[in-house]
Amino acid sequence: MSRRPIVSYAGDSSLFCGLQGSLVAALPEESVEWRRSFGRSSKLVNIEVDFVPYSEECLVKEPGCSILQLPVLYTYWTDCTDIEIYKNNVREKVQKWVVELRQRNINDWMVVVVGAPDARKPNKLLPRTTVLDKMKADFGGKQAERCVSLYEPVKTDSRSMESWQALLAKMRSLVMVAYNRALNKFEESMRAERERRTEKSWSFCEYFSIQEELAEVMLMMGVQDEALVQYDELDALLTQFVLNSAAGDTPLWLSNFREPAERWEGLNLRPESGKTLQEKIHLGEVSLLQLRNYLFQQQAGLLFTLNKPWEVASRALNFLQNTANELQILGISLAAGGVACWGFLSCLEVIHSLARCGSAVSAVHPHTRHIAPLWAYARDKLQELGKLCGLHPASDGDEKLHTVVALVCGMGDDPHADNDGASAHHHHHTSQSEHVMEDKAKDTKLESAAPAGGDGGVSFSVVMLEQNSMSPMTRLKEALSSKEAFRKHYLELSEVAISTCKHIGHVRCARLIGRDLASFYLSLGQPQQAANFLGDLLNSFTDGCWPLLAADTRAKLLTCYSSMADWPRLLRVGVELACCSEVPLEQRSAAFESMQRAVRELQEGGESVCLATQDVVRVEELCITSPPPLTVGSTLNAKATLRSSLPLPLIFSSVDVLLKLHVTEDSSSSGVGGRKRSGDTSRVERRVSGASGGVHKHQQHSSAGAVIRSNSAGSESSDRRSGGIPEEGPSEGPSERLHMSIALDYKQDNSLASAAVICANTHAALSRRDSHSRLSCAAEATTLTRDKNDVILTAKDVTVPPGSSTLTLTAQVLQRGTLSCKGAVLHSSCLELVQQSPPCIEGGAGGVEVLQMAPRLALGRKGRELLAGLPQHMILTVHAGTTPLLKDTAVELRSSRGLLLSPTVWHVTEDERHPVRTSAILDSSDSEKKSNLQLNADSNSTDVSENSMVRELQIFLPEAAMLSTVTLEMTVLALLGPQRDTNAVDHIVSLSSPVLQQARQDVDVHFSPPFCSVSKLHTANIKKFFQVKVTGLIGENIELKEPSLSLQQPSSPHSPLLLKGLNVPDQVLTVSSDQWCSYMWELGVDYSTPAAPPLKLEFSVQYSAPDTEPCTARTYRCTFDLCDYKTLFTIKSRVEPSKGSEFCRAGSMCHLLIAIEATPLPTEDSAAAAAAALPGAPGTNESSGLSTPSRKVCSSEGTAYDSIMYEVLADQTMWAVCGRTSGVLSVECARRRQNVTLDVMPLLGGFLPLPSVRLSKYIPADVKRPDAIVGTASSIPKLEPFAPGQVYNFSKGTQVHVLTAVTASGTHDLSLP
């Protein structure tokens, strides 16, 4: 029955019949928006309608008639275009039609006027009214848009086409609105019917027909997902009724389903197969199985239409299980095996449909992972039928022919009989004996048909399904025909199920199917085939930590291997079962006896078995009992703790624990003594000892990998592997150890951008574990590599009881290095247990060290930072190796120039100090000093003067035991030279001894200066003052006294320089890091001569540290150079108000008077030098006084100049300088004063500092040189600054009082001093 919307037509029937074909074809061509109610989303649908003539029957709803069987839109067609004809004839007919619709509350109507309008010329003043306008006025009202016109539909011009398209669009819209209204009414009536489900007269089949009609409407409109929702709601409603009936709430209509069922047809997913079941449902003559089959068939058809075959596969298993459960809940009686037949047929039908769907597309099917459970379900149902019909090998009795016949009759007719299934079935019956003879060959072909990757599961299923084109019912009938046929089909289904499960990664499900196959093969008497499946199942249970299931599987394997006489495998499984603690003791003892029987059989055959000691007998703990230290050649004793999981004692011929010896190249010289490099024994190793720390040990390069760092989006990578002993040999688990590294990414500015942890072997660590990797891991677990350097702890003839026990092991150590536990091997006749994971060594997390060390020397400070210029104590540490040090072993110390060593050395212990014999290394010419030093050393003198100290010293060590340490305290003195900054004083001490492996060891020693000194020259007109500032650099107090300053150069007695000290006599000053002091001298500069030779002054002071013993004063000397120290020019400046003003005022012009005067020459008259001219007029340069001969002055660098340049530098926020701010003056008048007057304007009020004046040497360009090139240094005038003290400014720091400017607002700008 068609569910398309019905549209009635009235009026001119002949006119409409001419347009009906075009309307039916044109309406579905374009989609229209379906605006749904209740907030549901809109959809675009294509409308197909059925036109029926208007009659009285269309307006009356018959009993039992659906709302959707009535017209949804009523149309009226006319070709009247004349107003008079419309008034006289047509209007009455239309009015009668409209009144009939309104009497039945029908508002969905439409009037169409076909034809051209009146062609008569209209009046320009009064527009002519058309028939359409009259209809809109007579019948339209608020719905005037329902009256439309169609212009000349037989023409093909643009106006006709536009009118035609407008009519189609309007009709689509009105039909969709009317149909939506009808659907809403239908849904309301359907919901009302569903609300009556608690009434006794309510029937699910009647409601099913109503909601299915809505689903068909949705399907007709192209919204298959909405149609699927309707069937899902029906499914859920039926399920809820069945579940409620289990609680006792069973409606009357559901009781009809409890009648015994005599047929169990399977699913038929062909589209044409549902018509018969639909009619039965409408009549209420359907069983629960048929209703469920029809529901799932409709759902599957819609899902296939929506291109969602994977959802069909995912729903199939739930459908089969829920239906079987509902049959049990309702207590519907079926013949034994009926549900199994229905489940088997339905499973294969779904798989057939999915295979047909999969062959139409060329992609990897997402429903593959849902097919595997269906294959397993079909196999289970076939196994159930085989046991019921006596076809399974495990079933008792002969074949039950009557049961098979009853089951075949209940299946009904084959729905695929019209295909090739009938012929294929006949072919299989005729050649049944040939198929039985080729079972194994077909099994092999099926196994090879499953590809390893891609879409292998689907391909293998298709191969099995397409074999001989057998339908599900044909396959089931053939499987139930005989035992051989059942065996063939059962094995085929099992293989397909296992392959499909493996393809989707459900290995555990495949193993469970294999368990049933193992039982099947055991029933057939084929233990070899069963052992293969049981072995895979045991691996799965072991990996999943299911000990009870694994023990049950081992018990079955024990039976298989015993039947096969496979003694090595019997021994392995027997050991594992005997060690399982979850199994009762009796079963474990029986397994132990089977193990012993296998051992005897293997001894007779001369074979041996190697097993891993994972849960059998393992060495749990190893305790080294030999007293430390352990040296080369000694005997290593250890006590091992063993734990046995066997139920009875087991005798071992030997128990061996392997210790790996790690021999390192630098083990003999590690530590402060440095590393020994092969092939270069004379290479010098360097250590650092300074103020910031003690002895800094050399940082060895580890084998973990270097750090790679790069700028500009570079990276830094470093392997962070575990330190200590590198691991070798196979790892403990089946996966390899992760090799992690750190990757640092830097930006171009050398800042860190990102940090990451990278695994270099993810492909190996995260690889899939299959049977091949399991075999390789098992081989590695039973393989323990032995190296020639390994140390083997051995114990002979050991009986290991159940539980925990201890035994003693011994071994001989012949090489140095570090011993780490590698594994253990236990030998018992033909059984060898290998323990790959090393046992824990008590108290030796990093291993046991076998020592063979050479003596080492270390030189460092005693406790605080080392100071230069003061006696300091240092510690010389001697680390004895594995060989004791003899008495008077010589150690030579040689220091760099400026570092002195005291011959007095003390041996420091925890309780007391003892002197050590020393000897200075001197030439034969220093025999007197050598004797004095020997005397001081013998008398243990504490003299630390420079005369009693040497640069080279030989120390005779006291006797030292093996691995002991000797601490020697010695005194050193780093001479303090001129110190003008805070840089440390660096020295090197070379250590050498015949017991050291390297020829020489250099130690860098850093001394911090206690203070530093800087000088500064001060000027007061022509007087000079020399200041020396002493700054402390350490936290301790340093006392200074008896400062002196002497002239070193020039040393001519004819021009002595008078130095007058301004310091307090006999004053002691203290300096530290928080305190400094200064000394001052006045320099008596001789201005009688024009020359100013460079001076070299030597500053000396006595210093001592009061907190240091002995407190001896030492002399510190530092020289300073002094050049250009005479005063050449003086500057005086002042600011005066302009004429007529008494004070300087902000904003008013003032005069800046600058007087520049040269220092008088020795030949000039003092009176003339004192005379000076008054300043001239503003803005002019004037000179006054008597003329003097010209002169040219030379600087200290030898550059001659006869002109100077002055520059006025003023703060622009305070002063505005008018005119030129610089100028060049001649210095030929030595005694004349140069006066410069400038106009300046103060900008602020208050006390303003005067503008500063700067003088510079002006050196003009040398234009007389013929080789002068334009642009070179000689062709450009230049300025040279004066040295500090050559120009003295009397007015520096002077301020002038400026009054504030008077403004209209009365505000003043002030500048505070």
PDB file of all heavy atoms in Angstrom, residues 849-875:
ATOM      1  N   GLU A 849      82.600  -5.193  45.054  1.00  0.00           N
ATOM      2  CA  GLU A 849      83.793  -4.645  44.420  1.00  0.00           C
ATOM      3  C   GLU A 849      85.015  -5.469  44.823  1.00  0.00           C
ATOM      4  O   GLU A 849      85.271  -5.697  46.015  1.00  0.00           O
ATOM      5  CB  GLU A 849      83.983  -3.192  44.816  1.00  0.00           C
ATOM      6  CG  GLU A 849      85.098  -2.505  44.040  1.00  0.00           C
ATOM      7  CD  GLU A 849      85.180  -1.032  44.351  1.00  0.00           C
ATOM      8  OE1 GLU A 849      84.400  -0.563  45.213  1.00  0.00           O
ATOM      9  OE2 GLU A 849      86.017  -0.338  43.752  1.00  0.00           O
ATOM     10  N   VAL A 850      85.754  -5.896  43.822  1.00  0.00           N
ATOM     11  CA  VAL A 850      87.036  -6.578  44.022  1.00  0.00           C
ATOM     12  C   VAL A 850      88.119  -5.525  43.798  1.00  0.00           C
ATOM     13  O   VAL A 850      88.251  -4.980  42.698  1.00  0.00           O
ATOM     14  CB  VAL A 850      87.202  -7.752  43.045  1.00  0.00           C
ATOM     15  CG1 VAL A 850      88.523  -8.442  43.282  1.00  0.00           C
ATOM     16  CG2 VAL A 850      86.037  -8.729  43.201  1.00  0.00           C
ATOM     17  N   LEU A 851      88.876  -5.242  44.836  1.00  0.00           N
ATOM     18  CA  LEU A 851      89.776  -4.100  44.811  1.00  0.00           C
ATOM     19  C   LEU A 851      91.182  -4.492  44.377  1.00  0.00           C
ATOM     20  O   LEU A 851      91.697  -5.553  44.753  1.00  0.00           O
ATOM     21  CB  LEU A 851      89.841  -3.442  46.192  1.00  0.00           C
ATOM     22  CG  LEU A 851      88.508  -2.956  46.763  1.00  0.00           C
ATOM     23  CD1 LEU A 851      88.714  -2.368  48.137  1.00  0.00           C
ATOM     24  CD2 LEU A 851      87.874  -1.934  45.843  1.00  0.00           C
ATOM     25  N   GLN A 852      91.774  -3.627  43.603  1.00  0.00           N
ATOM     26  CA  GLN A 852      93.200  -3.626  43.294  1.00  0.00           C
ATOM     27  C   GLN A 852      93.530  -2.205  42.886  1.00  0.00           C
ATOM     28  O   GLN A 852      93.584  -1.861  41.726  1.00  0.00           O
ATOM     29  CB  GLN A 852      93.546  -4.615  42.181  1.00  0.00           C
ATOM     30  CG  GLN A 852      95.055  -4.776  41.989  1.00  0.00           C
ATOM     31  CD  GLN A 852      95.384  -5.771  40.911  1.00  0.00           C
ATOM     32  OE1 GLN A 852      94.517  -6.245  40.198  1.00  0.00           O
ATOM     33  NE2 GLN A 852      96.651  -6.102  40.782  1.00  0.00           N
ATOM     34  N   MET A 853      93.777  -1.351  43.933  1.00  0.00           N
ATOM     35  CA  MET A 853      93.901   0.082  43.709  1.00  0.00           C
ATOM     36  C   MET A 853      95.308   0.553  44.040  1.00  0.00           C
ATOM     37  O   MET A 853      95.945   0.064  44.978  1.00  0.00           O
ATOM     38  CB  MET A 853      92.898   0.850  44.577  1.00  0.00           C
ATOM     39  CG  MET A 853      91.446   0.471  44.314  1.00  0.00           C
ATOM     40  SD  MET A 853      90.323   1.216  45.513  1.00  0.00           S
ATOM     41  CE  MET A 853      90.729   2.947  45.310  1.00  0.00           C
ATOM     42  N   ALA A 854      95.785   1.508  43.266  1.00  0.00           N
ATOM     43  CA  ALA A 854      97.072   2.158  43.526  1.00  0.00           C
ATOM     44  C   ALA A 854      96.850   3.341  44.464  1.00  0.00           C
ATOM     45  O   ALA A 854      95.741   3.866  44.564  1.00  0.00           O
ATOM     46  CB  ALA A 854      97.701   2.625  42.216  1.00  0.00           C
ATOM     47  N   PRO A 855      97.891   3.765  45.176  1.00  0.00           N
ATOM     48  CA  PRO A 855      97.742   4.921  46.068  1.00  0.00           C
ATOM     49  C   PRO A 855      97.362   6.172  45.282  1.00  0.00           C
ATOM     50  O   PRO A 855      97.719   6.336  44.118  1.00  0.00           O
ATOM     51  CB  PRO A 855      99.117   5.056  46.719  1.00  0.00           C
ATOM     52  CG  PRO A 855      99.731   3.707  46.597  1.00  0.00           C
ATOM     53  CD  PRO A 855      99.223   3.125  45.324  1.00  0.00           C
ATOM     54  N   ARG A 856      96.654   7.067  45.974  1.00  0.00           N
ATOM     55  CA  ARG A 856      96.196   8.314  45.366  1.00  0.00           C
ATOM     56  C   ARG A 856      96.527   9.468  46.306  1.00  0.00           C
ATOM     57  O   ARG A 856      96.517   9.309  47.522  1.00  0.00           O
ATOM     58  CB  ARG A 856      94.696   8.271  45.101  1.00  0.00           C
ATOM     59  CG  ARG A 856      94.291   7.254  44.057  1.00  0.00           C
ATOM     60  CD  ARG A 856      92.785   7.145  43.887  1.00  0.00           C
ATOM     61  NE  ARG A 856      92.132   6.519  45.041  1.00  0.00           N
ATOM     62  CZ  ARG A 856      91.266   7.097  45.827  1.00  0.00           C
ATOM     63  NH1 ARG A 856      90.945   8.350  45.629  1.00  0.00           N
ATOM     64  NH2 ARG A 856      90.719   6.458  46.838  1.00  0.00           N
ATOM     65  N   LEU A 857      96.804  10.638  45.708  1.00  0.00           N
ATOM     66  CA  LEU A 857      97.135  11.845  46.452  1.00  0.00           C
ATOM     67  C   LEU A 857      96.102  12.910  46.159  1.00  0.00           C
ATOM     68  O   LEU A 857      95.618  13.027  45.016  1.00  0.00           O
ATOM     69  CB  LEU A 857      98.524  12.364  46.065  1.00  0.00           C
ATOM     70  CG  LEU A 857      99.707  11.421  46.324  1.00  0.00           C
ATOM     71  CD1 LEU A 857     100.987  12.059  45.836  1.00  0.00           C
ATOM     72  CD2 LEU A 857      99.815  11.087  47.803  1.00  0.00           C
ATOM     73  N   ALA A 858      95.773  13.692  47.192  1.00  0.00           N
ATOM     74  CA  ALA A 858      94.826  14.794  47.042  1.00  0.00           C
ATOM     75  C   ALA A 858      95.317  15.955  47.876  1.00  0.00           C
ATOM     76  O   ALA A 858      95.706  15.782  49.042  1.00  0.00           O
ATOM     77  CB  ALA A 858      93.428  14.373  47.477  1.00  0.00           C
ATOM     78  N   LEU A 859      95.295  17.148  47.291  1.00  0.00           N
ATOM     79  CA  LEU A 859      95.748  18.364  47.969  1.00  0.00           C
ATOM     80  C   LEU A 859      94.591  19.342  47.986  1.00  0.00           C
ATOM     81  O   LEU A 859      94.021  19.670  46.939  1.00  0.00           O
ATOM     82  CB  LEU A 859      96.949  18.975  47.242  1.00  0.00           C
ATOM     83  CG  LEU A 859      97.535  20.245  47.872  1.00  0.00           C
ATOM     84  CD1 LEU A 859      98.074  19.957  49.270  1.00  0.00           C
ATOM     85  CD2 LEU A 859      98.616  20.824  46.975  1.00  0.00           C
ATOM     86  N   GLY A 860      94.233  19.833  49.180  1.00  0.00           N
ATOM     87  CA  GLY A 860      93.120  20.763  49.307  1.00  0.00           C
ATOM     88  C   GLY A 860      93.294  21.655  50.503  1.00  0.00           C
ATOM     89  O   GLY A 860      94.198  21.471  51.334  1.00  0.00           O
ATOM     90  N   ARG A 861      92.429  22.634  50.612  1.00  0.00           N
ATOM     91  CA  ARG A 861      92.492  23.566  51.737  1.00  0.00           C
ATOM     92  C   ARG A 861      91.953  22.902  52.993  1.00  0.00           C
ATOM     93  O   ARG A 861      91.187  21.929  52.922  1.00  0.00           O
ATOM     94  CB  ARG A 861      91.703  24.827  51.421  1.00  0.00           C
ATOM     95  CG  ARG A 861      90.268  24.587  51.020  1.00  0.00           C
ATOM     96  CD  ARG A 861      89.635  25.888  50.535  1.00  0.00           C
ATOM     97  NE  ARG A 861      88.298  25.691  50.025  1.00  0.00           N
ATOM     98  CZ  ARG A 861      87.197  25.723  50.738  1.00  0.00           C
ATOM     99  NH1 ARG A 861      87.296  25.916  52.051  1.00  0.00           N
ATOM    100  NH2 ARG A 861      86.019  25.546  50.189  1.00  0.00           N
ATOM    101  N   LYS A 862      92.282  23.488  54.127  1.00  0.00           N
ATOM    102  CA  LYS A 862      91.905  22.883  55.386  1.00  0.00           C
ATOM    103  C   LYS A 862      90.449  23.135  55.721  1.00  0.00           C
ATOM    104  O   LYS A 862      89.730  22.222  56.115  1.00  0.00           O
ATOM    105  CB  LYS A 862      92.810  23.410  56.502  1.00  0.00           C
ATOM    106  CG  LYS A 862      92.575  22.731  57.843  1.00  0.00           C
ATOM    107  CD  LYS A 862      93.560  23.216  58.883  1.00  0.00           C
ATOM    108  CE  LYS A 862      93.328  22.511  60.227  1.00  0.00           C
ATOM    109  NZ  LYS A 862      94.262  22.974  61.276  1.00  0.00           N
ATOM    110  N   GLY A 863      90.024  24.358  55.596  1.00  0.00           N
ATOM    111  CA  GLY A 863      88.639  24.617  55.948  1.00  0.00           C
ATOM    112  C   GLY A 863      88.102  25.874  55.326  1.00  0.00           C
ATOM    113  O   GLY A 863      86.991  25.909  54.823  1.00  0.00           O
ATOM    114  N   ARG A 864      88.881  26.952  55.349  1.00  0.00           N
ATOM    115  CA  ARG A 864      88.411  28.213  54.824  1.00  0.00           C
ATOM    116  C   ARG A 864      89.104  28.506  53.503  1.00  0.00           C
ATOM    117  O   ARG A 864      89.936  27.736  53.025  1.00  0.00           O
ATOM    118  CB  ARG A 864      88.696  29.334  55.827  1.00  0.00           C
ATOM    119  CG  ARG A 864      90.169  29.508  56.125  1.00  0.00           C
ATOM    120  CD  ARG A 864      90.429  30.682  57.049  1.00  0.00           C
ATOM    121  NE  ARG A 864      91.854  30.927  57.185  1.00  0.00           N
ATOM    122  CZ  ARG A 864      92.362  31.932  57.878  1.00  0.00           C
ATOM    123  NH1 ARG A 864      91.542  32.762  58.514  1.00  0.00           N
ATOM    124  NH2 ARG A 864      93.669  32.109  57.965  1.00  0.00           N
ATOM    125  N   GLU A 865      88.796  29.660  52.924  1.00  0.00           N
ATOM    126  CA  GLU A 865      89.414  30.025  51.669  1.00  0.00           C
ATOM    127  C   GLU A 865      90.883  30.370  51.893  1.00  0.00           C
ATOM    128  O   GLU A 865      91.294  30.830  52.953  1.00  0.00           O
ATOM    129  CB  GLU A 865      88.684  31.219  51.058  1.00  0.00           C
ATOM    130  CG  GLU A 865      88.639  32.441  51.958  1.00  0.00           C
ATOM    131  CD  GLU A 865      87.833  33.577  51.352  1.00  0.00           C
ATOM    132  OE1 GLU A 865      87.408  33.403  50.208  1.00  0.00           O
ATOM    133  OE2 GLU A 865      87.653  34.604  52.011  1.00  0.00           O
ATOM    134  N   LEU A 866      91.642  30.152  50.847  1.00  0.00           N
ATOM    135  CA  LEU A 866      93.079  30.422  50.909  1.00  0.00           C
ATOM    136  C   LEU A 866      93.335  31.887  50.606  1.00  0.00           C
ATOM    137  O   LEU A 866      92.768  32.448  49.664  1.00  0.00           O
ATOM    138  CB  LEU A 866      93.814  29.528  49.909  1.00  0.00           C
ATOM    139  CG  LEU A 866      93.650  28.007  50.105  1.00  0.00           C
ATOM    140  CD1 LEU A 866      94.360  27.254  49.018  1.00  0.00           C
ATOM    141  CD2 LEU A 866      94.167  27.598  51.476  1.00  0.00           C
ATOM    142  N   LEU A 867      94.211  32.513  51.420  1.00  0.00           N
ATOM    143  CA  LEU A 867      94.526  33.934  51.286  1.00  0.00           C
ATOM    144  C   LEU A 867      95.971  34.102  50.864  1.00  0.00           C
ATOM    145  O   LEU A 867      96.865  33.390  51.340  1.00  0.00           O
ATOM    146  CB  LEU A 867      94.280  34.674  52.609  1.00  0.00           C
ATOM    147  CG  LEU A 867      92.856  34.574  53.188  1.00  0.00           C
ATOM    148  CD1 LEU A 867      92.786  35.328  54.516  1.00  0.00           C
ATOM    149  CD2 LEU A 867      91.835  35.117  52.209  1.00  0.00           C
ATOM    150  N   ALA A 868      96.180  35.025  49.960  1.00  0.00           N
ATOM    151  CA  ALA A 868      97.538  35.346  49.521  1.00  0.00           C
ATOM    152  C   ALA A 868      98.166  36.322  50.498  1.00  0.00           C
ATOM    153  O   ALA A 868      97.488  37.152  51.116  1.00  0.00           O
ATOM    154  CB  ALA A 868      97.514  35.932  48.107  1.00  0.00           C
ATOM    155  N   GLY A 869      99.506  36.201  50.673  1.00  0.00           N
ATOM    156  CA  GLY A 869     100.239  37.103  51.563  1.00  0.00           C
ATOM    157  C   GLY A 869     100.228  36.690  53.008  1.00  0.00           C
ATOM    158  O   GLY A 869     100.905  37.331  53.827  1.00  0.00           O
ATOM    159  N   LEU A 870      99.502  35.640  53.377  1.00  0.00           N
ATOM    160  CA  LEU A 870      99.431  35.162  54.756  1.00  0.00           C
ATOM    161  C   LEU A 870      99.676  33.664  54.771  1.00  0.00           C
ATOM    162  O   LEU A 870      99.311  32.953  53.826  1.00  0.00           O
ATOM    163  CB  LEU A 870      98.067  35.466  55.373  1.00  0.00           C
ATOM    164  CG  LEU A 870      97.671  36.938  55.508  1.00  0.00           C
ATOM    165  CD1 LEU A 870      96.233  37.065  55.973  1.00  0.00           C
ATOM    166  CD2 LEU A 870      98.614  37.663  56.464  1.00  0.00           C
ATOM    167  N   PRO A 871     100.310  33.147  55.817  1.00  0.00           N
ATOM    168  CA  PRO A 871     100.517  31.689  55.902  1.00  0.00           C
ATOM    169  C   PRO A 871      99.167  30.966  55.954  1.00  0.00           C
ATOM    170  O   PRO A 871      98.274  31.332  56.729  1.00  0.00           O
ATOM    171  CB  PRO A 871     101.312  31.512  57.195  1.00  0.00           C
ATOM    172  CG  PRO A 871     101.920  32.853  57.468  1.00  0.00           C
ATOM    173  CD  PRO A 871     100.976  33.872  56.935  1.00  0.00           C
ATOM    174  N   GLN A 872      99.039  29.924  55.157  1.00  0.00           N
ATOM    175  CA  GLN A 872      97.795  29.172  55.056  1.00  0.00           C
ATOM    176  C   GLN A 872      98.086  27.687  55.244  1.00  0.00           C
ATOM    177  O   GLN A 872      99.157  27.193  54.858  1.00  0.00           O
ATOM    178  CB  GLN A 872      97.137  29.396  53.690  1.00  0.00           C
ATOM    179  CG  GLN A 872      96.809  30.851  53.401  1.00  0.00           C
ATOM    180  CD  GLN A 872      95.747  31.397  54.330  1.00  0.00           C
ATOM    181  OE1 GLN A 872      94.680  30.821  54.461  1.00  0.00           O
ATOM    182  NE2 GLN A 872      96.063  32.511  55.013  1.00  0.00           N
ATOM    183  N   HIS A 873      97.091  27.008  55.843  1.00  0.00           N
ATOM    184  CA  HIS A 873      97.225  25.578  56.082  1.00  0.00           C
ATOM    185  C   HIS A 873      96.502  24.806  54.986  1.00  0.00           C
ATOM    186  O   HIS A 873      95.359  25.128  54.637  1.00  0.00           O
ATOM    187  CB  HIS A 873      96.640  25.204  57.452  1.00  0.00           C
ATOM    188  CG  HIS A 873      97.349  25.858  58.595  1.00  0.00           C
ATOM    189  ND1 HIS A 873      98.617  25.489  59.005  1.00  0.00           N
ATOM    190  CD2 HIS A 873      96.967  26.874  59.421  1.00  0.00           C
ATOM    191  CE1 HIS A 873      98.979  26.226  60.026  1.00  0.00           C
ATOM    192  NE2 HIS A 873      97.991  27.089  60.304  1.00  0.00           N
ATOM    193  N   MET A 874      97.151  23.775  54.463  1.00  0.00           N
ATOM    194  CA  MET A 874      96.570  22.902  53.449  1.00  0.00           C
ATOM    195  C   MET A 874      96.704  21.459  53.902  1.00  0.00           C
ATOM    196  O   MET A 874      97.556  21.134  54.749  1.00  0.00           O
ATOM    197  CB  MET A 874      97.244  23.107  52.088  1.00  0.00           C
ATOM    198  CG  MET A 874      97.057  24.501  51.519  1.00  0.00           C
ATOM    199  SD  MET A 874      97.590  24.628  49.795  1.00  0.00           S
ATOM    200  CE  MET A 874      96.312  23.656  49.005  1.00  0.00           C
ATOM    201  N   ILE A 875      95.865  20.621  53.345  1.00  0.00           N
ATOM    202  CA  ILE A 875      95.803  19.209  53.718  1.00  0.00           C
ATOM    203  C   ILE A 875      96.252  18.371  52.526  1.00  0.00           C
ATOM    204  O   ILE A 875      95.710  18.506  51.418  1.00  0.00           O
ATOM    205  CB  ILE A 875      94.391  18.801  54.150  1.00  0.00           C
ATOM    206  CG1 ILE A 875      93.942  19.626  55.366  1.00  0.00           C
ATOM    207  CG2 ILE A 875      94.333  17.319  54.472  1.00  0.00           C
ATOM    208  CD1 ILE A 875      94.800  19.426  56.598  1.00  0.00           C
TER     209      ILE A 875
END
